[in-house]
Amino acid sequence: MAEALKLLGRRNYAVVCGDENLDEISIAGTTHVWHIQENGDITNYTIHPSDFGVPTHPLSEAAGSSLEENKETLTRLLNNNLEAKDEAIRDFVLVNTGFLLYISGMALSMKEGATIARETLESGKAETLLYDFAKATQELRAQESEKAAIN
């Protein structure tokens, strides 16, 4: 997969695989990374939740549930009103967001990326960004519908 991304000219991308065959950064343990560098070289390394400053959790603690329960969990996460059972989900968000911030160059380390993610959640900025994104996509959809109706 990393070779295909490289051939497509992608840079500062990463392919990840948790030891549990997870296609995201794992909170349960080691994740394997194939990082396509700016110069096109692919570096392989492993990362661990401790690289982000968070503890490990069994994946079962971050598993989704019913639509209503997932919505409630997301609301608690965005409102920084977490229950003990939400910590694994929050940490799952922190490691994956932190890694994206690191790979994109917006953070100098994975731990700094996770810190930025935590601050964004705790300050309420994540909720604002989510609602702004939803509003923008709804406006774009409305514009596209208007164009289609004219044609």
Side-chain angles (χ1 to χ4, degrees), residues 72-148:
E72 290 171 6
T73 301
L74 178 61
T75 299
R76 287 191 304 273
L77 182 66
L78 293 174
N79 291 328
N80 196 34
N81 190 21
L82 299 175
E83 297 175 1
K85 66 180 181 176
D86 300 326
E87 289 179 13
I89 293 170
R90 182 214 45 221
D91 289 347
F92 196 85
V93 169
L94 294 180
V95 298
N96 280 278
T97 304
F99 188 73
L100 289 172
L101 291 170
Y102 168 68
I103 287 292
S104 69
M106 297 182 74
L108 297 176
S109 68
M110 291 175 272
K111 190 170 186 177
E112 181 184 37
T115 298
I116 292 168
R118 181 185 301 273
E119 291 169 355
T120 303
L121 279 172
E122 291 177 354
S123 70
K125 289 180 187 175
E127 182 178 33
T128 301
L129 290 168
L130 176 63
Y131 289 121
D132 288 350
F133 178 75
K135 181 180 176 186
T137 57
Q138 290 166 357
E139 290 171 358
L140 182 60
R141 184 184 314 159
Q143 291 172 4
E144 293 296 321
S145 295
E146 288 174 16
K147 285 182 186 177

Side-chain angles (χ1 to χ4, degrees), residues 3-38:
E3 286 292 338
L5 289 169
K6 178 181 176 176
L7 289 172
L8 290 170
R10 304 301 189 256
R11 301 297 183 261
N12 295 326
Y13 275 62
V15 176
V16 298
C17 182
D19 276 349
E20 309 79 16
N21 291 322
L22 193 66
D23 63 349
E24 299 178 75
I25 309 297
S26 177
I27 57 167
T30 303
T31 298
H32 302 270
V33 178
W34 294 265
H35 182 174
I36 302 108
Q37 303 287 332
E38 183 64 36

